[in-house]
PDB file of all heavy atoms in Angstrom:
ATOM      1  N   GLY A 268      11.603  46.730   0.175  1.00 95.00           N
ATOM      2  CA  GLY A 268      12.283  46.060  -0.972  1.00 95.00           C
ATOM      3  C   GLY A 268      11.403  45.858  -2.238  1.00 95.00           C
ATOM      4  O   GLY A 268      10.353  46.661  -2.396  1.00 95.00           O
ATOM      5  N   ILE A 269      11.615  44.806  -3.023  1.00 94.00           N
ATOM      6  CA  ILE A 269      10.977  44.673  -4.326  1.00 94.00           C
ATOM      7  C   ILE A 269       9.439  44.211  -4.112  1.00 94.00           C
ATOM      8  O   ILE A 269       8.717  44.338  -5.106  1.00 94.00           O
ATOM      9  CB  ILE A 269      11.734  43.570  -5.223  1.00 94.00           C
ATOM     10  CG1 ILE A 269      11.759  42.245  -4.421  1.00 94.00           C
ATOM     11  CG2 ILE A 269      13.123  44.122  -5.481  1.00 94.00           C
ATOM     12  CD1 ILE A 269      12.252  41.067  -5.305  1.00 94.00           C
ATOM     13  N   GLY A 270       9.177  43.748  -2.978  1.00 94.00           N
ATOM     14  CA  GLY A 270       7.723  43.405  -2.760  1.00 94.00           C
ATOM     15  C   GLY A 270       7.471  42.045  -3.422  1.00 94.00           C
ATOM     16  O   GLY A 270       8.297  41.421  -4.041  1.00 94.00           O
ATOM     17  N   ILE A 271       6.286  41.506  -3.155  1.00 94.00           N
ATOM     18  CA  ILE A 271       5.855  40.258  -3.729  1.00 94.00           C
ATOM     19  C   ILE A 271       4.555  40.413  -4.514  1.00 94.00           C
ATOM     20  O   ILE A 271       3.663  41.072  -4.136  1.00 94.00           O
ATOM     21  CB  ILE A 271       5.625  39.239  -2.509  1.00 94.00           C
ATOM     22  CG1 ILE A 271       6.841  39.022  -1.628  1.00 94.00           C
ATOM     23  CG2 ILE A 271       5.287  37.810  -3.067  1.00 94.00           C
ATOM     24  CD1 ILE A 271       6.599  38.414  -0.292  1.00 94.00           C
ATOM     25  N   GLU A 272       4.615  39.859  -5.756  1.00 93.00           N
ATOM     26  CA  GLU A 272       3.356  39.912  -6.609  1.00 93.00           C
ATOM     27  C   GLU A 272       2.218  39.200  -5.968  1.00 93.00           C
ATOM     28  O   GLU A 272       2.492  38.131  -5.352  1.00 93.00           O
ATOM     29  CB  GLU A 272       3.650  39.231  -7.904  1.00 93.00           C
ATOM     30  CG  GLU A 272       4.795  39.915  -8.779  1.00 93.00           C
ATOM     31  CD  GLU A 272       4.477  41.363  -9.269  1.00 93.00           C
ATOM     32  OE1 GLU A 272       3.186  41.568  -9.437  1.00 93.00           O
ATOM     33  OE2 GLU A 272       5.337  42.139  -9.499  1.00 93.00           O
ATOM     34  N   PRO A 273       0.966  39.776  -6.094  1.00 93.00           N
ATOM     35  CA  PRO A 273      -0.104  39.109  -5.471  1.00 93.00           C
ATOM     36  C   PRO A 273      -0.270  37.557  -5.849  1.00 93.00           C
ATOM     37  O   PRO A 273      -0.725  36.770  -5.047  1.00 93.00           O
ATOM     38  CB  PRO A 273      -1.365  39.862  -5.972  1.00 93.00           C
ATOM     39  CG  PRO A 273      -0.817  41.191  -6.299  1.00 93.00           C
ATOM     40  CD  PRO A 273       0.618  40.998  -6.744  1.00 93.00           C
ATOM     41  N   ASP A 274       0.008  37.274  -7.077  1.00 93.00           N
ATOM     42  CA  ASP A 274      -0.212  35.894  -7.480  1.00 93.00           C
ATOM     43  C   ASP A 274       0.910  34.955  -6.947  1.00 93.00           C
ATOM     44  O   ASP A 274       0.713  33.731  -6.786  1.00 93.00           O
ATOM     45  CB  ASP A 274      -0.301  35.638  -9.030  1.00 93.00           C
ATOM     46  CG  ASP A 274       0.899  36.253  -9.687  1.00 93.00           C
ATOM     47  OD1 ASP A 274       1.605  37.077  -9.086  1.00 93.00           O
ATOM     48  OD2 ASP A 274       1.178  35.815 -10.781  1.00 93.00           O
ATOM     49  N   ALA A 275       2.064  35.577  -6.466  1.00 93.00           N
ATOM     50  CA  ALA A 275       3.124  34.732  -5.804  1.00 93.00           C
ATOM     51  C   ALA A 275       2.822  34.518  -4.370  1.00 93.00           C
ATOM     52  O   ALA A 275       3.233  33.494  -3.706  1.00 93.00           O
ATOM     53  CB  ALA A 275       4.395  35.457  -6.054  1.00 93.00           C
ATOM     54  N   LEU A 276       2.038  35.497  -3.748  1.00 94.00           N
ATOM     55  CA  LEU A 276       1.877  35.382  -2.276  1.00 94.00           C
ATOM     56  C   LEU A 276       1.402  34.095  -1.742  1.00 94.00           C
ATOM     57  O   LEU A 276       2.003  33.577  -0.695  1.00 94.00           O
ATOM     58  CB  LEU A 276       0.888  36.495  -1.842  1.00 94.00           C
ATOM     59  CG  LEU A 276       1.562  37.843  -1.407  1.00 94.00           C
ATOM     60  CD1 LEU A 276       0.361  38.835  -0.984  1.00 94.00           C
ATOM     61  CD2 LEU A 276       2.448  37.677  -0.211  1.00 94.00           C
ATOM     62  N   PRO A 277       0.413  33.469  -2.356  1.00 93.00           N
ATOM     63  CA  PRO A 277      -0.053  32.164  -1.691  1.00 93.00           C
ATOM     64  C   PRO A 277       0.986  31.012  -1.824  1.00 93.00           C
ATOM     65  O   PRO A 277       0.848  29.980  -1.104  1.00 93.00           O
ATOM     66  CB  PRO A 277      -1.249  31.753  -2.495  1.00 93.00           C
ATOM     67  CG  PRO A 277      -1.679  33.045  -3.293  1.00 93.00           C
ATOM     68  CD  PRO A 277      -0.451  33.808  -3.438  1.00 93.00           C
ATOM     69  N   HIS A 278       2.082  31.243  -2.550  1.00 94.00           N
ATOM     70  CA  HIS A 278       3.028  30.133  -2.693  1.00 94.00           C
ATOM     71  C   HIS A 278       4.373  30.426  -1.964  1.00 94.00           C
ATOM     72  O   HIS A 278       5.239  29.429  -1.912  1.00 94.00           O
ATOM     73  CB  HIS A 278       3.426  29.906  -4.242  1.00 94.00           C
ATOM     74  CG  HIS A 278       2.106  29.807  -5.051  1.00 94.00           C
ATOM     75  ND1 HIS A 278       1.383  28.656  -4.982  1.00 94.00           N
ATOM     76  CD2 HIS A 278       1.514  30.619  -5.925  1.00 94.00           C
ATOM     77  CE1 HIS A 278       0.395  28.817  -5.870  1.00 94.00           C
ATOM     78  NE2 HIS A 278       0.418  29.986  -6.332  1.00 94.00           N
ATOM     79  N   ILE A 279       4.594  31.450  -1.374  1.00 95.00           N
ATOM     80  CA  ILE A 279       5.897  31.780  -0.883  1.00 95.00           C
ATOM     81  C   ILE A 279       6.336  30.838   0.286  1.00 95.00           C
ATOM     82  O   ILE A 279       7.588  30.717   0.456  1.00 95.00           O
ATOM     83  CB  ILE A 279       6.088  33.316  -0.320  1.00 95.00           C
ATOM     84  CG1 ILE A 279       5.013  33.682   0.668  1.00 95.00           C
ATOM     85  CG2 ILE A 279       6.005  34.206  -1.665  1.00 95.00           C
ATOM     86  CD1 ILE A 279       5.145  34.959   1.246  1.00 95.00           C
ATOM     87  N   PHE A 280       5.417  30.155   0.916  1.00 95.00           N
ATOM     88  CA  PHE A 280       5.722  29.227   2.058  1.00 95.00           C
ATOM     89  C   PHE A 280       5.970  27.827   1.447  1.00 95.00           C
ATOM     90  O   PHE A 280       6.234  26.862   2.259  1.00 95.00           O
ATOM     91  CB  PHE A 280       4.696  29.264   3.089  1.00 95.00           C
ATOM     92  CG  PHE A 280       4.682  30.594   3.945  1.00 95.00           C
ATOM     93  CD1 PHE A 280       3.794  31.583   3.599  1.00 95.00           C
ATOM     94  CD2 PHE A 280       5.576  30.801   4.882  1.00 95.00           C
ATOM     95  CE1 PHE A 280       3.679  32.757   4.277  1.00 95.00           C
ATOM     96  CE2 PHE A 280       5.586  32.025   5.637  1.00 95.00           C
ATOM     97  CZ  PHE A 280       4.615  32.942   5.241  1.00 95.00           C
ATOM     98  N   ASP A 281       5.650  27.629   0.193  1.00 92.00           N
ATOM     99  CA  ASP A 281       5.904  26.303  -0.458  1.00 92.00           C
ATOM    100  C   ASP A 281       7.430  26.007  -0.539  1.00 92.00           C
ATOM    101  O   ASP A 281       8.228  26.953  -0.746  1.00 92.00           O
ATOM    102  CB  ASP A 281       5.355  26.181  -1.834  1.00 92.00           C
ATOM    103  CG  ASP A 281       3.766  26.340  -1.807  1.00 92.00           C
ATOM    104  OD1 ASP A 281       3.188  26.394  -0.701  1.00 92.00           O
ATOM    105  OD2 ASP A 281       3.174  26.483  -2.857  1.00 92.00           O
ATOM    106  N   ARG A 282       7.667  24.667  -0.363  1.00 88.00           N
ATOM    107  CA  ARG A 282       9.096  24.280  -0.507  1.00 88.00           C
ATOM    108  C   ARG A 282       9.647  24.516  -1.825  1.00 88.00           C
ATOM    109  O   ARG A 282       8.960  24.246  -2.838  1.00 88.00           O
ATOM    110  CB  ARG A 282       9.132  22.720  -0.208  1.00 88.00           C
ATOM    111  CG  ARG A 282      10.162  22.258   0.593  1.00 88.00           C
ATOM    112  CD  ARG A 282       9.884  20.870   0.990  1.00 88.00           C
ATOM    113  NE  ARG A 282       9.345  19.996  -0.050  1.00 88.00           N
ATOM    114  CZ  ARG A 282       8.635  18.818   0.233  1.00 88.00           C
ATOM    115  NH1 ARG A 282       8.487  18.408   1.438  1.00 88.00           N
ATOM    116  NH2 ARG A 282       8.234  18.079  -0.819  1.00 88.00           N
ATOM    117  N   PHE A 283      10.832  25.148  -1.882  1.00 88.00           N
ATOM    118  CA  PHE A 283      11.591  25.460  -3.158  1.00 88.00           C
ATOM    119  C   PHE A 283      10.819  26.441  -3.992  1.00 88.00           C
ATOM    120  O   PHE A 283      11.254  26.570  -5.228  1.00 88.00           O
ATOM    121  CB  PHE A 283      11.781  24.187  -4.049  1.00 88.00           C
ATOM    122  CG  PHE A 283      12.601  23.077  -3.354  1.00 88.00           C
ATOM    123  CD1 PHE A 283      12.149  21.888  -2.896  1.00 88.00           C
ATOM    124  CD2 PHE A 283      14.000  23.323  -3.214  1.00 88.00           C
ATOM    125  CE1 PHE A 283      12.989  20.958  -2.204  1.00 88.00           C
ATOM    126  CE2 PHE A 283      14.883  22.461  -2.483  1.00 88.00           C
ATOM    127  CZ  PHE A 283      14.269  21.257  -2.116  1.00 88.00           C
ATOM    128  N   TYR A 284       9.946  27.164  -3.431  1.00 90.00           N
ATOM    129  CA  TYR A 284       9.262  28.239  -4.298  1.00 90.00           C
ATOM    130  C   TYR A 284      10.079  29.481  -4.287  1.00 90.00           C
ATOM    131  O   TYR A 284      10.538  29.983  -3.322  1.00 90.00           O
ATOM    132  CB  TYR A 284       7.820  28.497  -3.796  1.00 90.00           C
ATOM    133  CG  TYR A 284       7.120  29.599  -4.642  1.00 90.00           C
ATOM    134  CD1 TYR A 284       6.596  29.367  -5.883  1.00 90.00           C
ATOM    135  CD2 TYR A 284       7.277  30.949  -4.230  1.00 90.00           C
ATOM    136  CE1 TYR A 284       6.057  30.333  -6.673  1.00 90.00           C
ATOM    137  CE2 TYR A 284       6.783  31.904  -5.052  1.00 90.00           C
ATOM    138  CZ  TYR A 284       6.094  31.670  -6.202  1.00 90.00           C
ATOM    139  OH  TYR A 284       5.707  32.717  -7.016  1.00 90.00           O
TER     140      TYR A 284
END
Side-chain angles (χ1 to χ4, degrees):
I269 59 169
I271 305 167
E272 297 294 332
D274 56 340
L276 264 178
H278 306 290
I279 57 172
F280 291 96
D281 294 352
R282 221 167 39 198
F283 296 109
Y284 178 81

